[in-house]
Structure formats: C-alpha cells, structure tokens
C-alpha cells in the first residue's frame, strides 16, 4: 500500500505542497486531501470547499462522512479517505500515514476565488518522508503531521512521541526508498545528527 501511494505522489508531484494556511496562519488543507484526484477520489475532491478549513461548516459533513449527494454513490464520498486508514478501521477517521516535515519549507501565495492562501512547499531536492504509524490521533483530512521538536509546528506531534508506533516509512525523492521500523529509526537518528 505504501509503495502504491508513493507511485501516486511521484506522478502527481502534489506531495510537494505540504499544507495551506490563511492570512491568520491557520492550517486549512492537508496534502492527503490535495492528492485525492490521484487516488481516484474525485467525487470527494470536487465537493470539498478549498476556500474553507478542513473542519469548517462547509466541510464538516465530508469530514464526518455523512454528506449525501444526488447521483453520487454514498461510498464514493464517505470512503474517500479509506486509503489512509488501517484495513480494520471501522470508520473514516484516523490516518496511519503522516508526513515528517524536517527543515525549511518554501511559501507561495495562491488565490482561490477571493481568498488568499499560503502554500507551504518542500524545496526541490528535499525528499518527502511518509511514516506509517499505528495510531496517529490525526483525522486523515487534518493538516497536521509530525515533526522534530520545532517552534514552527507547536500543535504537531513530536516525532519522539510516535517512534515506537512506526511500522515503516517511505522516502520519496530522486530515489524512492522503503524502510522497515528499525531502518526508519536509524534514518531519523541520522537526520537528528545531521542537524547538530
């Protein structure tokens, strides 16, 4: 599943946009929502209101999987996030795939209708690292992931809090590399040492 996901993101390059914020600095949209067209969840993507936050009034029924749309199979909307969930998950809620943001991100303003958003992007050449973890506590639509202890992401999960839950990881860059639990921990340790 993780390799399939990597192939999707490599083709789409959408993963380079990690998330969007508004003028107040509030996080609005996750990379997991941005790549929905590549996982063939177009019905959900077309219904999602990008001018509002992921948990706004206009998106809350999508978030909760309760929106009913004439002419669209209910499962096409309510199961859009299924790719991010464990196979035994009883409902769409908590993702097992989180990005690890480490280092500097670029910012670029974009306009959606009359709303200015700031896109936060990975610099070219910086790999995108996705961790598969057992329990994230993060809704799959939520624009929150994991990071090393950094002032910039105070509400994000500290990578040290989920190390024991890591199943595997994939680094998507010039070369795609899958790592098992122990290899992922060694890789994360090497990143920490590189920063010192």
């Amino acid at each position: 599943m993780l390799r399939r996901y990597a192939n999707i993101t490599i083709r789409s390059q959408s993963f380079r946009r990690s998330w969007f914020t508004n003028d107040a600095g509030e996080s609005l949209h996750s990379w997991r929502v941005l790549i929905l067209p590549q996982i063939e969840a177009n019905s959900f993507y077309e219904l999602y209101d990008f001018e509002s936050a992921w948990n706004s009034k206009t998106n809350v029924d999508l978030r909760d999987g309760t929106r009913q749309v004439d002419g669209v199979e209910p499962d096409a909307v309510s199961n859009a996030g299924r790719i991010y969930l464990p196979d035994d998950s009883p409902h769409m809620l908590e993702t097992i795939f989180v990005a690890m943001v480490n280092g500097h991100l670029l910012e670029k303003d974009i306009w959606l209708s009359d709303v200015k958003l700031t896109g936060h992007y990975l610099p070219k050449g910086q790999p995108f690292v996705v961790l598969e973890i057992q329990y994230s506590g993060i809704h799959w639509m939520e624009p929150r992931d994991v990071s090393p202890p950094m002032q910039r992401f105070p509400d994000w999960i500290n990578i040290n809090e989920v190390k024991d839950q890591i199943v595997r990881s994939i680094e998507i860059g010039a070369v795609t590399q899958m790592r098992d639990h122990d290899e992922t921990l060694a890789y994360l340790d090497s990143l920490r040492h590189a920063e010192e």
Side-chain angles (χ1 to χ4, degrees):
M1 163 54 218
L2 202 53
R3 188 166 296 283
R4 177 175 169 245
Y5 168 75
N7 290 336
I8 290 166
T9 55
I10 288 167
R11 284 196 313 268
S12 73
Q13 295 291 305
S14 294
F15 64 87
R16 294 237 164 258
R17 294 175 295 188
S18 295
W19 79 99
F20 285 100
T21 56
N22 61 16
D23 282 340
E26 300 165 318
S27 296
L28 302 177
H29 315 300
S30 170
W31 59 272
R32 289 177 289 270
V33 172
L34 297 173
I35 68 163
L36 286 173
Q38 284 74 41
I39 61 171
E40 298 175 6
N42 293 331
S43 297
F44 186 100
Y45 189 84
E46 290 165 8
L47 295 170
Y48 187 87
D49 180 6
F50 284 95
E51 294 182 19
S52 301
W54 71 281
N55 58 351
S56 67
K57 288 181 181 177
T58 57
N59 287 324
V60 72
D61 57 345
L62 283 173
R63 180 196 71 195
D64 297 340
T66 58
R67 185 176 295 186
Q68 300 294 316
V69 180
D70 291 339
V72 177
E73 288 289 321
D75 285 350
V77 176
S78 65
N79 288 333
R82 182 59 62 192
I83 190 171
Y84 302 118
L85 309 177
D87 291 336
D88 59 353
S89 176
H91 49 80
M92 60 176 248
L93 182 62
E94 185 176 309
T95 184
I96 58 172
F97 297 109
V98 293
M100 190 195 72
V101 176
N102 186 40
H104 179 72
L105 292 174
L106 303 176
E107 294 183 357
K108 181 179 178 184
D109 290 341
I110 65 162
W111 289 87
L112 289 177
S113 297
D114 294 332
V115 179
K116 184 179 97 171
L117 302 177
T118 302
H120 301 267
Y121 295 78
L122 289 169
K124 194 168 187 170
Q126 180 178 324
F128 186 64
V129 178
V130 176
L131 304 173
E132 180 181 341
I133 60 177
Q134 294 169 348
Y135 307 104
S136 70
I138 299 172
H139 189 285
W140 73 270
M141 288 171 54
E142 185 178 356
R144 187 165 65 105
D145 287 281
V146 298
S147 73
M150 295 169 73
Q151 193 66 24
R152 208 174 61 197
F153 308 114
D155 59 335
W156 284 24
I157 296 173
N158 181 321
I159 189 66
N160 296 324
E161 296 173 26
V162 294
K163 279 187 174 181
D164 293 341
Q165 298 179 43
I166 293 172
V167 176
R168 66 185 63 89
S169 68
I170 189 160
E171 178 181 349
I172 306 167
V175 175
T176 300
Q177 184 167 355
M178 294 274 294
R179 295 182 177 94
D180 65 19
H181 172 80
D182 293 336
E183 292 169 331
T184 299
L185 292 183
Y187 172 70
L188 295 174
D189 199 42
S190 74
L191 292 177
R192 185 174 58 82
H193 288 306
E195 291 178 356
E196 294 174 352

